[in-house]
Amino acid sequence: MNDTQELKLTPLSAAEPTWQSELKHAYRSASQLRLALGLSAIDDQDYGFPILAPRPYVSRITKNDPTDPLLLQVISSASESEEQFGFSEDPLDERDANPRPGVVHKYRSRQLFIATGQCAINCRYCFRRHFPYSDNRVSQAQWRENIRQTALDPNVNEIILSGGDPLLLNDEVLTGLLSEVERHPSISRVRIHTRLPLVIPQRITNALIDALSNRRFKVILVWHINHPNEIDDAVELAALRLHKAGVTQLNQSVLLKSVNDAAATLAELSERLFSINILPYYLHLLDRVSGAAHFLVPDSEAKIIYRELAEHLPGFLVPKLARETSGNFSKDTFGTDNL
Ligand SMILES: *Cc1c(COP(=O)(O)O)cnc(C)c1O
Ligand code: SF4
């Protein structure tokens, strides 16, 4: 590692960079990323899914280690081009569950809003890597209309902001949306599924904390943390600020081969999460999306890992083992004996 490469991992100016500038300066090619980490830049292919990895996340990757569990989540691999039986472009048939632009009505009591098609990081295992995001770009007026329509449905009491990453919306837009929800008493919870506070902890701005604080409804933020190494001091601080703002924090992980497919790693993750006020919620089995087959942990192995995990931890730190099945109103969940 020479000096110029080292520089790329540290802020360019003395002033604290904003989350937007971190996003702008994110690594956007495999060769750029490999060079910054002291690895040889042998392959610059992205297999149809662009490389995107912001610096605060990349700073937690161990240099000169091609097997780093964070690196494997963001770097493309030649395995992505292999066709695998049982893996498809839209494994959950979400294209069929898209009644109005920006809305996915998949769950009965909760309405899922696709806040934006973009993410702050591109995870190579993502089940939405082929999702037609651009069709879901909605105006603010459409947003308000979607919220009003949702509030009229007597079965729905929760709005889930998903994506893409909903925290890519700026604080002003988010404040506006939450204020619109405030007007509809039938909505008692707003849940935000995001990877942004993990990827760029500076995203937890004062304005965002204000927007989430003192709401009539409960606010839940679901982190997507897969490995204990993803949690550094900045992440811990972001979680603490959300905690103080009264936000309930949960975490969901995906069980990923060579990343977190060991009971000891998952147990460490649960302990670490709890220490920063986040409760483990789901451990997902991989969605079978084409390009991600090399992350698959077979059910037989998942079962062994999960059983061992349950033995390590008190029940409240054991995430639910879950799988999404196309057409169902909830995930399928498994105990230690029925996968
Ligand atoms: C599972 C899931 C949901 C909703 O399911 P719950 O069982 O209500 O938690 C929403 N968003 C994402 C990304 C999910 O994986
Ligand atoms: S939707 Fe979630 S898992 Fe998929 S690329 Fe975006 S942040 Fe990663």
Side-chain angles (χ1 to χ4, degrees):
M1 163 96 12
N2 65 36
D3 289 341
T4 22
Q5 286 159 6
E6 187 71 48
L7 264 179
K8 286 186 186 164
L9 293 175
T10 53
L12 297 175
S13 72
E16 182 74 7
T18 62
W19 67 270
Q20 289 96 336
S21 76
E22 284 296 7
L23 198 56
K24 205 166 125 197
H25 293 113
Y27 294 96
R28 287 170 198 274
S29 81
S31 53
Q32 209 187 16
L33 189 54
R34 281 181 197 278
L35 276 175
L37 293 166
L39 301 167
S40 55
I42 38 168
D43 181 4
D44 207 17
Q45 281 232 62
D46 67 12
Y47 304 97
F49 187 45
I51 301 283
L52 178 60
R55 296 179 304 182
Y57 188 84
V58 172
S59 73
R60 301 167 212 151
I61 297 175
T62 305
K63 283 175 203 144
N64 305 307
D65 180 4
T67 66
D68 181 278
L70 280 58
L71 177 68
L72 295 179
Q73 295 179 53
V74 293
I75 195 82
S76 50
S77 146
S79 317
E80 293 178 33
S81 64
E82 290 164 16
E83 289 277 332
Q84 292 283 346
F85 181 75
F87 285 69
S88 69
E89 293 216 339
D90 184 17
L92 304 179
D93 293 331
E94 288 210 329
R95 286 171 208 198
D96 297 341
N98 212 194
R100 286 194 302 281
V103 178
V104 176
H105 202 140
K106 205 160 71 159
Y107 308 103
R108 204 162 292 181
S109 68
R110 318 51 113 206
Q111 180 81 278
L112 197 93
F113 284 60
I114 304 289
T116 161
Q118 305 299 314
C119 288
I121 184 170
N122 282 346
C123 314
R124 308 312 298 176
Y125 55 84
C126 182
F127 77 100
R128 290 206 174 108
R129 57 185 289 161
H130 311 283
F131 197 71
Y133 282 134
S134 50
D135 304 350
N136 274 302
R137 214 165 288 145
V138 298
S139 66
Q140 297 228 43
Q142 176 80 57
W143 260 106
R144 278 194 293 276
E145 181 54 24
N146 285 348
I147 293 170
R148 266 194 294 273
Q149 293 292 332
T150 297
L152 289 174
D153 183 337
N155 296 314
V156 174
N157 66 351
E158 176 171 343
I159 284 179
I160 302 177
L161 303 183
S162 186
D165 200 311
L167 290 189
L168 281 178
L169 298 177
N170 68 39
D171 291 331
E172 204 184 329
V173 172
L174 280 165
T175 303
L177 294 177
L178 294 170
S179 302
E180 179 65 33
V181 175
E182 192 87 45
R183 298 206 232 158
H184 303 280
S186 60
I187 306 300
S188 51
R189 290 189 296 273
V190 171
R191 186 180 349 159
I192 302 172
H193 276 259
T194 175
R195 249 198 142 200
L196 241 165
L198 179 73
V199 171
I200 307 177
Q202 293 97 314
R203 178 64 192 92
I204 306 304
T205 58
N206 293 337
L208 180 63
I209 290 289
D210 285 346
L212 300 176
S213 303
N214 302 316
R215 290 296 181 184
R216 176 190 52 71
F217 45 84
K218 291 281 184 198
V219 179
I220 303 164
L221 189 140
V222 184
W223 294 71
H224 291 203
I225 306 177
N226 294 318
H227 192 282
N229 292 2
E230 289 176 308
I231 302 172
D232 65 1
D233 291 349
V235 172
E236 183 168 347
L237 182 66
L240 183 65
R241 298 189 67 210
L242 288 162
H243 178 68
K244 286 188 173 158
V247 174
T248 299
Q249 299 179 84
L250 306 173
N251 183 63
Q252 64 176 35
S253 311
V254 182
L255 184 60
L256 299 166
K257 190 171 172 188
S258 308
V259 173
N260 60 6
D261 56 338
T265 307
L266 293 168
E268 188 190 338
L269 175 61
S270 278
E271 293 283 0
R272 191 76 184 99
L273 289 169
F274 187 71
S275 75
I276 61 170
N277 301 299
I278 303 173
L279 277 174
Y281 180 29
Y282 280 131
L283 176 61
H284 279 263
L285 294 161
L286 187 77
D287 294 315
R288 294 174 191 233
V289 63
S290 44
H294 55 295
F295 287 113
L296 184 73
V297 177
D299 283 2
S300 55
E301 264 175 57
K303 188 171 167 171
I304 293 167
I305 294 168
Y306 191 66
R307 197 174 286 167
E308 198 185 330
L309 177 65
E311 285 167 8
H312 270 79
L313 295 168
F316 64 92
L317 290 187
V318 182
K320 289 184 193 202
L321 187 60
R323 170 160 34 221
E324 291 262 358
T325 312
S326 155
N328 286 9
F329 284 115
S330 71
K331 292 179 215 292
D332 295 328
T333 54
F334 308 94
T336 48
D337 57 357
N338 68 342
L339 177 61

